[in-house]
Amino acid sequence: MRKFLNVCMCGLVAAAIMTGCSKKPAAETTTAAPETTEATESSAQETVPTVDLSKVDNGTITLGNYKGIEVKRDTVEVTDEEVQQAIQSDLAAHEKDIDVERAVQSGDVVNIDFVGKKDGAAFDGGTAQGYDLTIGSNQFIPGFEEGIIGAKKGDKLSLDLTFPQEYNNKDLAGKPVVFEVTVNTIKEKQTPELNDAFVQENTKFKTVDEYKEDKKTTLLQNKNDQADQTVKSNIYDAVLANSKVEANQEAIDANVENVVARYTNQAAAYGMDFASFITAFTGMKEEDFRNTVKTQAEGIVKQRLVLNAIAEKEGITVSDDDRTDVAQKMGYESVDSMIQAAGQYEVDDYIISNKVLDFLKENANITQ
């Protein structure tokens, strides 16, 4: 869920900003059977309004000590093994499917025609032509992909299978069927070799050594960024512990309502219902998502109280340059489009929170 789960790094606020510019969620790659699952159409759904948080009382705070907080920062390093793993990931991303003249093996991509029949008659959703299937991807019901292993190009197969009892189509659940399958082509995935030619074709570098060095530098930067975020989080936790904070339930509920509203509207824009969109976008079930939002809402309201109190005391404010910087980082065309999507209060709150966290880090006593 990207920044959403990071409470002390302005999680709910970042979620508001991110949902305003997020891309369409990727289609699910695992299905229970060889038939298309269509999203529930809800594009006609009206936009759900959000609460104006600037008019909500967050609660009360008695600010404690926030300067000179003692915190330890982990020493970071990058191993050769980590560099190699990152390189292998890059190579895998450039895999190509190459035609082969041999029997089907696990991992191959086969192009097939198939017809699924129950009681001798083809059933809806069980027929396709020219379908590309990766063997071992578990896209189909148990036994389907396994039944293709060992076949050769041009082979015609008859697979006697049974749909799972829990299958979502009651007419097929637990029922025996026959899939008539024709193997059109067989391809294997080939990973490119790491050499200067690959580097020059796919990166901005000319040699493998330059590419490896950049990969190591990037990994080290990422680890340092994570270590800094952990430091900020620990400092904030200490400041919170030093302070007396009481969050208003009204503010907590408003934050929950806004997150749900934004994801509901985003779902409608893609013609999806809320539950399906949440699963596709976050990988969570609706109930788990709502529970996560509720748990974090109290934390974000307390964080807002603490960080805003420090901002007021230290004269930390939001500038036009701050807004422009965030809009660029979040991928918006302009500040106005970001504010229209996320809201003025949410944008400025996100900026203030991060500026105060930076201030706290600069004024902490950090040891290795």
Side-chain angles (χ1 to χ4, degrees), residues 82-329:
E82 289 173 323
V83 173
Q84 189 59 36
Q85 288 176 347
I87 291 174
Q88 287 302 318
S89 179
D90 281 356
L91 293 174
H94 290 85
E95 285 181 340
K96 295 182 179 179
D97 296 332
I98 307 299
D99 285 312
V100 292
E101 298 293 332
R102 57 162 174 73
V104 176
Q105 299 176 2
S106 180
D108 287 345
V109 177
V110 294
N111 182 276
I112 57 176
D113 302 332
F114 60 84
V115 178
K117 296 181 178 181
K118 187 185 76 167
D119 299 328
F123 56 82
D124 292 340
T127 299
Q129 292 184 329
Y131 189 95
D132 286 330
L133 170 65
T134 300
I135 302 300
S137 61
N138 297 318
Q139 294 185 40
F140 292 78
I141 62 173
F144 188 96
E145 296 174 32
E146 294 86 344
I148 299 176
I149 294 176
K152 295 183 179 180
K153 180 179 178 180
D155 283 357
K156 296 182 182 299
L157 312 172
S158 181
L159 307 178
D160 294 314
L161 305 174
T162 301
F163 272 86
Q165 288 288 348
E166 66 276 11
Y167 188 60
N168 55 15
N169 184 331
K170 294 182 179 180
D171 291 334
L172 296 174
K175 301 298 174 55
V177 295
V178 176
F179 281 100
E180 297 174 355
V181 182
T182 300
V183 179
N184 300 321
T185 62
I186 305 170
K187 298 182 179 182
E188 69 176 13
K189 293 183 179 295
Q190 292 188 357
T191 303
E193 179 183 354
L194 178 61
N195 51 35
D196 289 347
F198 170 82
V199 171
Q200 291 167 13
E201 182 179 353
N202 297 286
T203 76
K204 62 182 180 181
F205 305 103
K206 294 184 177 181
T207 68
V208 171
D209 288 342
E210 291 175 349
Y211 166 69
K212 286 184 176 180
E213 186 60 32
D214 178 76
K215 186 64 63 178
K216 183 174 184 178
T217 299
T218 300
L219 290 172
L220 185 60
Q221 182 62 54
N222 290 340
K223 283 194 172 186
N224 275 313
D225 289 344
Q226 183 58 52
D228 286 340
Q229 294 299 329
T230 300
V231 165
K232 291 179 182 179
S233 180
N234 290 340
I235 293 172
Y236 167 76
D237 287 343
V239 175
L240 178 62
N242 292 338
S243 305
K244 183 178 180 180
V245 185
E246 294 184 10
N248 277 348
Q249 188 62 46
E250 177 190 2
I252 296 172
D253 294 341
N255 278 272
V256 172
E257 184 178 336
N258 280 1
V259 172
V260 172
R262 285 195 167 90
Y263 278 97
T264 299
N265 294 335
Q266 194 81 344
Y270 293 128
M272 299 174 68
D273 63 272
F274 178 78
S276 297
F277 182 81
I278 289 302
T279 298
F281 191 82
T282 70
M284 303 173 71
K285 294 181 179 179
E286 179 181 356
E287 182 180 359
D288 294 334
F289 174 80
R290 289 182 180 274
N291 288 337
T292 297
V293 173
K294 290 177 182 178
T295 299
Q296 292 196 337
E298 182 176 1
I300 198 66
V301 172
K302 288 183 177 180
Q303 174 184 290
R304 190 171 286 138
L305 285 165
V306 172
L307 299 187
N308 283 350
I310 295 173
E312 181 177 356
K313 194 169 184 178
E314 297 294 337
I316 299 173
T317 58
V318 178
S319 68
D320 289 339
D321 288 342
D322 293 329
R323 298 185 184 99
T324 299
D325 183 55
V326 170
Q328 291 175 346
K329 289 180 178 178

